[in-house]
Amino acid sequence: MGHTRLGDIPRTRKWQEVVSLISGGAGAAQLANSVIRAAEQGLQLATEHKALVEAFWLLTQLPLAAKTSDLAAALRERGLNVSPEPGLMDVVAAVSEAVDARLPNNSGRTDLGEMAQAAASEAIVQVVTERTQSLFGTTPEDVKAGLAGLATVKQFGLFAKQFYARLTEKVLQYYVSRVTAGAVGGQELRFQTLASKAEFDKALTLHCREASKIVEAFTGEWFSKTKWVNQGISRDDAACFAHVAMQKMVAELKAGAR
């Protein structure tokens, strides 16, 4: 599972074209290659980041907990400290706190782990609000129904796609900012206006969203099969998946950069 190549994923813009929005075209190819190489080294170490594994594991647990009769009790069994009738922000806060709890005294905390923590929170808010059509008007019943609806092959695949698209965007932004702090190709790279920065951010978001389709394609099947065969999804299961998913994302980013 997960070894089938989708073929060339349609892209609105090539990676070099996205990067050229920073430099006005000057040195775009060099900068693009520099960012992909740097990001590859960080992303390939995914399974060594406890926070990333924990964040993804918790995402797998939310739909499973929501399918039970008592959401709050099921979440507490999984280490999430929530109120008896948890709302959306209660769940988001509990997930963030649970990730922190896996890193006592900040042991093992990394930039990638913190990005994963933030990406998980954003993905939860995004999918639940999309399903309930409201951010502030969601009731505990809405939250439970929204999370339970993610337990299908298709919907969990979309959920994971949200997570990995956001995580990848944060990582690329991180490395872009490091590379553009100096000179590449003999020229200082910087945004001339806020509008140009906004244009780049929009293009990068779209690029990562398109690349993350590679994860969507097999995540739902993995989720369904693993919970059935193993009668649940363990942290070890999540760690193995995170490793494979990151390898696929890196390969997809490199393919898009060519």
Side-chain angles (χ1 to χ4, degrees):
M1 182 179 299
H3 299 294
T4 301
R5 180 78 175 102
L6 291 180
D8 292 335
I9 291 178
R11 297 177 186 280
T12 304
R13 274 175 164 157
K14 293 181 180 179
W15 173 235
Q16 284 92 340
E17 292 173 350
V18 174
V19 172
S20 72
L21 295 174
I22 301 174
S23 58
Q30 299 96 314
L31 176 56
N33 289 331
S34 296
V35 172
I36 291 296
R37 284 198 302 270
E40 177 182 6
Q41 295 173 4
L43 290 171
Q44 291 285 18
L45 297 175
T47 54
E48 298 181 17
H49 293 77
K50 295 179 181 179
L52 188 151
V53 173
E54 185 70 9
F56 180 73
W57 178 75
L58 288 169
L59 294 187
T60 70
Q61 300 306 296
L62 296 180
L64 300 180
K67 296 291 286 186
T68 67
S69 59
D70 190 336
L71 173 60
L75 290 177
R76 292 193 195 104
E77 289 175 0
R78 292 163 169 80
L80 297 174
N81 185 21
V82 296
S83 63
E85 295 185 341
L88 177 56
M89 292 300 108
D90 292 329
V91 173
V92 170
V95 167
S96 183
E97 291 171 1
V99 173
D100 285 336
R102 295 290 291 181
L103 304 170
N105 299 319
N106 289 327
S107 176
R109 182 172 293 280
T110 65
D111 290 333
L112 179 56
E114 292 190 2
M115 292 177 204
Q117 187 176 18
S121 297
E122 292 170 9
I124 295 167
V125 171
Q126 180 70 28
V127 297
V128 173
T129 53
E130 283 181 351
R131 296 180 72 86
T132 61
Q133 302 299 312
S134 175
L135 174 59
F136 299 104
T138 54
T139 65
E141 291 76 16
D142 292 332
V143 173
K144 187 177 188 302
L147 293 176
L150 300 174
T152 67
V153 171
K154 179 180 179 179
Q155 293 304 318
F156 191 81
L158 291 170
F159 190 25
K161 177 188 173 184
Q162 281 278 1
F163 171 68
Y164 277 98
R166 292 173 180 276
L167 174 58
T168 303
E169 180 183 357
K170 292 177 186 299
V171 172
L172 289 182
Q173 284 276 23
Y174 174 78
Y175 284 107
V176 164
S177 66
R178 294 178 67 178
V179 172
T180 57
V184 177
Q187 297 189 35
E188 187 72 18
L189 302 177
R190 60 187 180 276
F191 295 107
Q192 298 297 318
T193 64
L194 290 176
S196 65
K197 177 63 166 63
E199 185 180 3
F200 168 76
D201 289 342
K202 182 179 179 180
L204 182 59
T205 297
L206 181 58
H207 184 79
C208 293
R209 190 176 301 162
E210 291 173 343
S212 65
K213 290 178 181 177
I214 194 69
V215 175
E216 177 190 354
F218 74 96
T219 307
E221 293 182 3
W222 168 85
F223 175 79
S224 181
K225 181 178 180 180
T226 303
K227 72 177 181 178
W228 175 261
V229 173
N230 298 347
Q231 296 299 298
I233 297 177
S234 68
R235 287 184 173 86
D236 287 340
D237 293 330
C240 290
F241 176 86
H243 177 70
V244 173
M246 277 302 187
Q247 286 187 323
K248 284 186 171 293
M249 283 297 300
V250 169
E252 197 56 48
L253 290 169
K254 291 170 71 175
R258 286 194 290 270

